[in-house]
Structures are given as structure tokens and as C-alpha cells.
Amino acid sequence: MAGKKELDVVEVMEILDKSENYRLLFTEYRSAIMEIETKLRVLDNELSIDRDKNPIETIHTRLKSPESILEKMRRKNYPLTIESMRTNLLDIAGVRVICDFIDDIYKLEQHLCSQNDITVIRRKDYIEEPKPNGYRSLHLVVSVPIFLTSGPKEIPVEVQFRTMAMDFWASLEHKLKYKKDISEATDAAARLKECADKAFALDREMMRIRSDIDEMESEKS
Ligand code: 0O2
């Protein structure tokens, strides 16, 4: 806005910190994370009876940091208001689910999304269609109701599903490339892409081995 100075991160964080709206908003996102995490843990427990093995290896949760929120809102040219943050940013609440096998990811997705209080807002399947750099994961944005003293409220949560191999690659790629402007044309980028493809090949081979072992077991009984 003309004549108005751009606030820096520290100033924005101080303003947000004092704002009751902001605190309430973050409590809501935290509650939505708890709802989704519980749903996933319940599914994990039930599905483990089937195979005698839990399909979920780990669940990580996070609230997007104020710096990261501000960076994204600036990058996308969204107005710097709480209302705009609420409507435009769908990844403030994040849940990352690390699974053993690729097919567990789709099974969990199907069971989570068929629950009648869950609405799928967005789905990006970077496993079927990986990013050009080799990144693979299934991204969902789902809306889940939380029950406040004032009544129910729908809150968006981003849920990322990955195998351990995909997570290993994404974590290292993030560390190697974080805040570095590395062109996709470099040798390092090409080698990272090759590693992503090898990790995916490993995932597929592990699934084949599992199904061979299952077959051997069923022949025995
Ligand atoms: P953080 O700290 O995880 O929140 P955007 O890229 O955010 O403008 P969009 O559509 O929201 O747009 O993003 P997208 O591509 O669906 O997924 C964003 C998140 O997925 C990222 O979050 C990462 O967690 C992960 N991700 C996406 N692409 C890559 C990648 O190439 N490498 C790695 N390591 N992770 C990736 P944020 O927002 O970066 O950070």
C-alpha cells in the first residue's frame, strides 16, 4: 500500500503474537492435527491385525512457522491478514505419515478419506507423477471438524504420505538444497534425481518381496 512500510518478520511475529485471533487460530490448527493423527493411529492399529505389522512407521506433525507463513504469503502475493492466511494457506497444519510400503499409502488414504467427517479439498499424487527433481509423496488437503465451545468448525490439514525410502530422499534433498539456488540442469540435480528413482525402485522391489513371502506363507498353511 502506498506510503505504508513493509513489516519485517520480527515485527509481524510480534503483532501476531499479541493477537488473540492468531492464538485462537493456532489452537484450532493444533486441534485439527490431533484429530487427524488420532484417526491415522486408529487405522494403523486396526490394519495391523491383518498382517501382524503396522502399516505406519512414524507420524510427524507440525504447525507452519510464522516465518514460513509470511514467506509463502509474500511469495504468492496474498494480503498479509489473518483472514487471508486462513483462506489461502491450506498447509498451516501438517501431518506427515511415513509408511513401510507404497500400497499401504493408498490403503490409508482410502480409509481416511471415506470417513464421513472428512472432506478432501485437494489431492496431488507425486508418487504417480513425481516432480521433475524426483520428489515423490502423496499430498492431500483434508478438512476435519473440531468441536469448540462455540460449536464445530472445519479446519484444513495437509497430510503427506511417503514411504521410508521417499522420506530418506526428501529429507536429504531438502538439507542439500535448502536455501541454495541449484538449477535442475546441474550434475548434482541429475544425480539427486537418479537417487530418487533408485529409492522408488527399492520401494517396488520391497513390495514384490513382501508378496512373495506372503505367498510362501499361505502355501505352508
Ligand atoms: P514445510 O516446512 O514442509 O511446510 P508451494 O510450493 O508451497 O508454493 P504447494 O502446492 O502448497 O505450493 O506445495 P506442494 O508442492 O504441494 O508441497 C509443498 C510441501 O511438500 C513442501 O513444504 C515440502 O514439505 C514438500 N515438498 C514439495 N516439493 C518438494 C521437493 O522437491 N523436495 C522436498 N524435500 N520436499 C518437497 P514447504 O512449504 O516447502 O515447507
Side-chain angles (χ1 to χ4, degrees):
M1 225 181 280
K4 237 184 178 183
K5 122 174 155 52
E6 271 274 287
L7 298 174
D8 67 21
V9 178
V10 178
E11 286 171 315
V12 171
M13 280 165 67
E14 275 171 3
I15 293 167
L16 289 179
D17 233 25
K18 287 186 193 126
S19 148
E20 279 304 314
N21 274 349
Y22 178 80
R23 275 199 229 138
L24 176 63
L25 190 76
F26 271 68
T27 304
E28 291 170 5
Y29 284 114
R30 233 176 262 120
S31 309
I33 286 176
M34 289 193 276
E35 293 285 349
I36 295 293
E37 187 175 0
T38 303
K39 283 176 179 295
L40 288 163
R41 292 206 186 275
V42 169
L43 287 173
D44 184 50
N45 255 318
E46 190 198 335
L47 292 169
S48 72
I49 301 170
D50 237 16
R51 293 193 158 270
D52 222 13
K53 172 93 187 65
N54 296 68
I56 297 179
E57 190 57 36
T58 335
I59 299 179
H60 300 288
T61 64
R62 70 109 183 83
L63 272 178
K64 208 170 181 69
S65 68
E67 290 97 326
S68 189
I69 289 175
L70 193 59
E71 181 280 319
K72 188 163 181 175
M73 290 181 65
R74 283 197 169 133
R75 177 162 46 89
K76 305 246 173 189
N77 270 324
Y78 296 140
L80 294 183
T81 65
I82 300 233
E83 210 30 59
S84 140
M85 175 172 102
R86 190 192 274 286
T87 46
N88 290 315
L89 296 196
L90 300 178
D91 62 344
I92 293 178
V95 176
R96 184 171 292 155
V97 190
I98 316 294
C99 296
D100 288 340
F101 297 100
I102 300 168
D103 55 0
D104 290 334
I105 291 177
Y106 294 106
K107 199 183 284 176
L108 283 164
E109 177 200 13
Q110 186 219 318
H111 289 297
L112 178 70
C113 296
S114 62
Q115 298 187 1
N116 55 18
D117 56 352
I118 290 283
T119 311
V120 180
I121 300 176
R122 198 171 73 186
R123 179 179 192 273
K124 289 189 199 168
D125 190 347
Y126 296 123
I127 299 175
E128 274 287 310
E129 278 186 65
K131 288 195 168 182
N133 63 356
Y135 176 79
R136 284 182 173 85
S137 286
L138 173 68
H139 290 193
L140 304 177
V141 176
V142 298
S143 168
V144 64
I146 57 162
F147 295 87
L148 301 168
T149 51
S150 53
K153 191 164 189 176
E154 290 287 331
I155 305 290
V157 179
E158 185 187 66
V159 190
Q160 297 182 350
F161 292 93
R162 302 174 175 171
T163 61
M164 286 186 277
M166 291 169 197
D167 189 53
F168 165 77
W169 181 91
S171 305
L172 290 187
E173 189 261 3
H174 185 71
K175 279 185 194 159
L176 290 171
K177 290 177 76 181
Y178 187 61
K179 288 190 178 165
K180 296 189 187 89
D181 191 16
I182 298 181
S183 145
E184 290 303 320
T186 59
D187 178 55
R191 282 156 62 205
L192 272 172
K193 162 83 171 63
E194 210 177 299
C195 288
D197 294 343
K198 282 180 184 160
F200 190 53
L202 191 67
D203 269 334
R204 281 184 304 188
E205 179 62 357
M206 285 297 188
M207 267 203 314
R208 283 194 288 266
I209 294 172
R210 186 196 57 187
S211 83
D212 288 351
I213 291 175
D214 283 352
E215 217 168 282
M216 286 188 303
E217 288 296 298
S218 71
E219 276 164 16
K220 267 198 246 161
S221 53

